[in-house]
């Protein structure tokens, strides 16, 4: 437990550096997005960084329920609030909501 707490402190202390690395990720796949959602839970990016990353990653997964669920979890874990008319909300509205909801339970 002490080792995990040390690891968490290190991650939180380097949060900006870690999230800045993701600017260079050319495309985001399902597993990567899930990992980012989990990392955001432990050490969230700034809301500005989260919004920028989310915008970039949405280009790769506009209707994939697995990717969308991970992006919803990432957004929530990053402190973003969904708003009508935003890209993520539009994508979820167009997707099979039951599938997104089912996948979202796996992210939590």
């Amino acid at each position: 437990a002490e080792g995990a707490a040390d690891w968490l402190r290190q991650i939180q202390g380097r949060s900006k550096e870690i999230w800045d690395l993701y600017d260079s990720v050319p495309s985001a796949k399902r597993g990567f997005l899930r990992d980012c959602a989990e990392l955001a839970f432990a050490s969230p990016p700034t809301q500005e960084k989260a919004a920028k990353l989310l915008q970039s990653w949405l280009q790769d997964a506009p209707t994939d329920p697995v990717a969308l669920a991970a992006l919803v979890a990432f957004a929530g874990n990053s402190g973003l609030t969904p708003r009508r008319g935003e890209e993520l909300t539009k994508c979820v509205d167009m997707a099979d909501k039951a599938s997104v909801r089912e996948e979202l339970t796996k992210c939590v």
Side-chain angles (χ1 to χ4, degrees), residues 26-30 33 53-72 86-97 99-100:
S27 98
K29 304 296 181 209
R30 293 172 165 185
L33 294 173
L53 292 172
L54 189 61
Q55 204 54 28
S56 172
W57 295 339
L58 272 168
Q59 296 174 22
D60 295 324
T63 57
D64 175 10
V66 176
L68 282 175
L71 289 172
V72 167
E86 288 185 343
E87 199 62 32
L88 179 58
T89 305
K90 289 179 189 177
C91 289
V92 171
D93 283 344
M94 291 187 308
D96 176 12
K97 289 175 191 58
S99 296
V100 173

Side-chain angles (χ1 to χ4, degrees), residues 6-7 11 15 47 52 60 62 67-68 89 95 101-103 106:
D6 288 341
W7 177 83
I11 293 296
S15 182
Q47 289 187 350
K52 181 180 176 186
D60 295 324
L68 282 175
T89 305
R101 197 171 327 156
E102 179 183 335
E103 292 301 326
K106 297 175 187 176

Side-chain angles (χ1 to χ4, degrees), residues 10-65:
Q10 288 181 20
I11 293 296
Q12 290 169 338
R14 291 189 167 81
S15 182
K16 182 183 178 337
E17 296 168 60
I18 291 168
W19 290 110
D20 283 348
L21 289 172
Y22 292 128
D23 281 336
S24 62
V25 174
S27 98
K29 304 296 181 209
R30 293 172 165 185
F32 175 80
L33 294 173
R34 274 194 216 127
D35 291 345
C36 287
E38 290 179 20
L39 179 59
F41 182 78
S43 183
T46 64
Q47 289 187 350
E48 294 80 22
K49 175 62 76 175
K52 181 180 176 186
L53 292 172
L54 189 61
Q55 204 54 28
S56 172
W57 295 339
L58 272 168
Q59 296 174 22
D60 295 324
T63 57
D64 175 10

